[in-house]
Amino acid sequence: MIMRLALQSLRNRWVTALLTVLAIAVSVMLLLGVEKVRTGARQSFADTISGTDLIVGARSGSLNLLLYSVFRIGNATNNVTWKSYEDIAKLPDVSWIVPLSLGDSHHGFRVLGTNSDYFTHYKFRRGQSMSFVAGGPFKDLFDAVIGSDVADTLHYKVGDNIVIAHGVGSISFVEHADKPFRVAGILAKTGTPIDRTVHVSLEAIEAIHIDWQSGAPVPGQSVTPDEVRKMDLTPRAITAAMVGLNSKLATFKIQRAINNYSEEPLSAIMPGVALQELWGLIGTAETALSAVSAMVVVTALLGMVTMILTTLNERRREMAILRSVGATPATVLGLLAAEGGLLTLAGVVLGTVALYVGLYFARPYIDHAYGLSLAIDPPRADEWVKLALIVAAGFVAGLLPALRAYRLSLADGMMIRT
Amino acid sequence: MLKSLTGLAAAVFVLTSPAVADEAGHRQLGPHVHGQGTLDIAIEGKKIAMELVVPGMDIVGFEHVPTTDAQKAEVEKGKAKLTDVLSVFKFPASAKCKADSANVENRKETHHPGEKDDDDDKPGEPEHAEFHATYSITCEAPESVTGLETSYFTSFSGAQLLNVNIATSKGQTQAQMTRDKPTLDLAGVM
């Protein structure tokens, strides 16, 4: 009875009611959307590297090692000697090891020296492998494989020649111009730092520095690309290495063994654990996002209360007529509270549906443009609770104008104000 | 007695790098924070490998070489408690776990597990010591290992925190167990 009255009353004021529902819908969409982006961002972050059991570098903190080896941020404290690399590779439980050598750049993008195994062993997004949109891994000494952002920004295609700069600044005065590289492959977008990396072979890193001393070319001493091919290009040092193990059970044993390696101070970190530590540091932004979206919901509910309150004046007659035909003050109270609740419920349902529809269509675009993979999964338990709370808050908010109407006497509505 | 059992961990490198640096050449110490221990859990298939490293302070309340009979008894009691791994770390009963091996050492932190403790420890000398336990567990129904509960904090009044590192075939993660929250949720990585 009350519900039917409330519905019909709302139908008479459908424009304002619709706008209120929309306002609540948008706020609910934002609340749930922020939650989706938040979990998506967290997941994408955690998905930056997977399948690698340990990352080995010079002795340093786990975050530092993770930042320079995976995110290409900052620099290594020290290098790892090739001898140690070989020792680790020989450990019984080590299944594969991929060297990483950083230090040069190309138009602000980091250059990573590695080997072809990198393309098979580096996994992201729970075991997804890299794929090539054009070309393939290195075949020649001076072949380079570039990430998708590098290709997009610098408009490179397979076969282009590029010159690598010494050091990591975006403007460099020392270049390896005598030994240009050829773009051999372009990687598909991964949403990870790989997109912003130029990959070359470890031997090539050695080759372009072979006639250099103390970080600068030696005048009058130049080794041509053809001469360098005949030289021994075994690197003396690398920056870090990714290690895969035969069994997860060996993870901590090998980690401890590397950390206690007495010939060189090394650190072995578990990338998954370090990622989590890093997220713990930057995760404060998550709380801020949630707080903002919660405030938006509060604003929308306030708007609804305002709407009902302002229309109350116009509805003095409606209330009075209801009272005169025998409705008790309690019925009027229930009517207005139901109105608030119905509006909120409609807003919540509309907002949720709109979010999932929007998510369905925007998902491929967001993934491609931002490397953010948003999951389309039903609201989690705590989200259901949030939605229920919003509807409950709508009922309570409706009570506010209802109490006002409750207090107004029957006579008040009957009198004609001038 | 347990001390003489060989821990696997360092043995790997001892075997592969014959030239172990001499005493003067290379010194290093791990972190040592009273109240905090580290628990490493690696899970693959039905096998669970766990390693626990905690300061002696947390287990017995002192870290010097035990002198009195009472202190020696304390250390043995601590070892015995830690050896009974499945009562310290309780896996869900439905997982049907049993301990294959448990090996607890009380050692100076400068020692690597498995190395011979050949220096002249003077009884009563102040020293950072830690308990190092390695466990091997088999669970018949590993899919039921969705978490674990520990009685570690009620057994050892000095312990406040365990930093837990977890490696499974699904991925790696990190968590903490504390006196207030002596449980660990593994649902995300199993």
Side-chain angles (χ1 to χ4, degrees), chain B residues 17-164:
Chain B
S17 54
V20 174
D22 59 8
E23 287 266 306
H26 189 84
R27 279 188 289 267
Q28 66 175 35
L29 273 179
H32 184 93
V33 183
H34 289 173
Q36 291 192 14
T38 309
L39 175 68
D40 296 335
I41 305 177
I43 308 175
E44 189 169 89
K46 292 180 174 181
K47 292 276 178 200
I48 300 179
M50 295 210 297
E51 267 188 76
L52 178 75
V53 181
V54 280
M57 206 67 189
D58 294 14
I59 304 296
V60 289
F62 61 88
E63 297 196 337
H64 52 77
V65 176
T67 41
T68 63
D69 284 347
Q71 283 171 347
K72 282 177 186 155
E74 273 298 305
V75 170
E76 288 311 315
K77 216 173 90 191
K79 278 187 188 174
K81 272 190 197 166
L82 287 176
T83 305
D84 188 8
V85 53
L86 291 182
S87 61
V88 180
F89 300 105
K90 297 185 188 79
F91 290 93
S94 54
K96 300 197 187 70
C97 297
K98 62 175 177 52
D100 300 326
S101 73
N103 169 23
V104 187
E105 296 175 53
N106 176 31
R107 57 183 167 87
K108 277 164 68 174
E109 60 174 353
T110 41
H111 281 274
H112 300 316
E115 260 176 44
K116 224 174 104 207
D117 187 3
D118 54 359
D119 52 7
D120 43 332
D121 286 341
K122 292 174 191 69
E125 191 163 290
E127 178 66 63
H128 282 317
E130 26 180 56
F131 281 78
H132 186 125
T134 46
Y135 306 111
S136 168
I137 296 163
T138 306
C139 296
E140 284 308 313
E143 63 280 356
S144 300
V145 184
T146 50
L148 65 87
E149 210 183 315
T150 185
S151 65
Y152 172 74
F153 298 103
T154 42
S155 301
F156 306 107
S157 58
Q160 302 298 332
L161 173 80
L162 274 184
N163 283 308
V164 190

Side-chain angles (χ1 to χ4, degrees), chain A residues 27-48:
Chain A
S27 69
V28 167
M29 220 172 122
L30 192 72
L31 183 81
L32 293 182
V34 163
E35 190 60 28
K36 284 268 175 283
V37 171
R38 197 174 70 88
T39 45
R42 178 183 216 136
Q43 192 56 52
S44 299
F45 184 78
D47 285 347
T48 309

Side-chain angles (χ1 to χ4, degrees), chain A residues 119 130-140 143-146 151 156-160 182-188:
Chain A
F119 302 108
M130 279 182 245
S131 61
F132 287 87
V133 286
F138 337 112
K139 282 186 215 77
D140 184 66
D143 272 358
V145 169
I146 58 177
Y156 285 153
K157 52 189 188 307
V158 172
D160 284 354
R182 188 187 70 94
V183 175
I186 297 171
L187 293 165

